[in-house]
Amino acid sequence: NAGVMQNPRHLVRRRGQEARLRCSPMKGHSHVYWYRQLPEEGLKFMVYLQKENIIDESGMPKERFSAEFPKEGPSILRIQQVVRGDSAAYFCASSPPQATDTQYFGPGTRLTVL
Amino acid sequence: EDQVTQSPEALRLQEGESSSLNCSYTVSGLRGLFWYRQDPGKGPEFLFTLYSAGEEKEKERLKATLTKKESFLHITAPKPEDSATYLCAPMNTGFQKLVFGTGTRLLVSP
């Protein structure tokens, strides 16, 4: 059973460009979470999604950031007009519908903004 | 606001030298306390979930315990492959999000 998959693993963008990060949950998992880890800081919750629904986006910056989890395909975290402060590791986690507490993490996408 | 403090920030042990890591937390209502291990450049790897004070869970050389204010991760006779950052994260009853501490960086020398 493949784990949570994220791509790309590394992404380099120039200031003002868009970054699109993808997350495929574990097979059978219908809940997806996004966390951000800034250098020398702990992981911070960003958003919690179920298929076609945003359940909790209390950790998402108000501007430039958006997330979706469509009926078909991976979850996408989109960052518009990136700035240097967006440089971080972005982790996706998933959990199954019958046990929503335990979250299993992917390997992360490391975003570097030049 | 939910808060988590882990100590020590870093810990260096000799192989076979047992020790404990501490996680102090403040949440309005605890749904569960999660422990993860994170290796450099990788995502957190799930270790344990504890749900109520007095609960203990074990996996190989690791044992996690929980009180109403703290959780401990005991490492017995560690090996170099136990070197990693150990993260604890409580989950509030009202939410589905994990609140992570900054972790304890463990280095076990042969």
Side-chain angles (χ1 to χ4, degrees), chain A residues 9 33 35 37 41-43 45 48 56 58 91 100-107 110, chain B residues 31 34 36 38 41-44 46 49 51 87 91 95-98 100-102 105:
Chain A
R9 295 292 311 278
Y33 315 81
Y35 292 80
Q37 189 171 36
E41 293 189 20
L43 287 107
F45 169 82
Y48 162 38
D56 180 357
S58 58
F91 292 96
T100 55
D101 290 352
T102 301
Q103 299 176 17
Y104 298 90
F105 283 80
R110 275 140 191 91
Chain B
R31 182 170 180 163
F34 296 77
Y36 288 84
Q38 187 174 25
K42 297 189 176 181
F46 172 72
T49 309
Y51 291 102
L87 305 169
M91 182 183 287
F95 307 95
Q96 201 68 18
K97 59 187 174 186
L98 295 167
F100 280 93
T102 51
R105 292 189 310 276

Side-chain angles (χ1 to χ4, degrees), chain A residues 47-109:
Chain A
V47 62
Y48 162 38
L49 310 105
Q50 295 179 19
K51 288 279 187 181
E52 300 184 283
N53 282 304
I54 297 175
I55 308 302
D56 180 357
E57 57 182 348
S58 58
M60 286 280 271
K62 294 286 185 261
E63 298 178 348
R64 302 187 297 107
F65 285 72
S66 62
E68 63 176 6
F69 188 17
K71 187 176 181 181
E72 301 290 338
S75 175
I76 306 287
L77 179 67
R78 183 183 177 204
I79 311 172
Q80 295 179 288
Q81 298 177 313
V82 296
V83 301
R84 289 219 173 106
D86 296 332
S87 295
Y90 292 82
F91 292 96
C92 167
S94 71
S95 63
Q98 71 275 20
T100 55
D101 290 352
T102 301
Q103 299 176 17
Y104 298 90
F105 283 80
T109 293

Side-chain angles (χ1 to χ4, degrees), chain B residues 3 5 18 24 72 75 81 108:
Chain B
Q3 292 188 339
T5 303
S18 302
S24 298
F72 294 92
I75 303 177
E81 53 261 43
V108 182

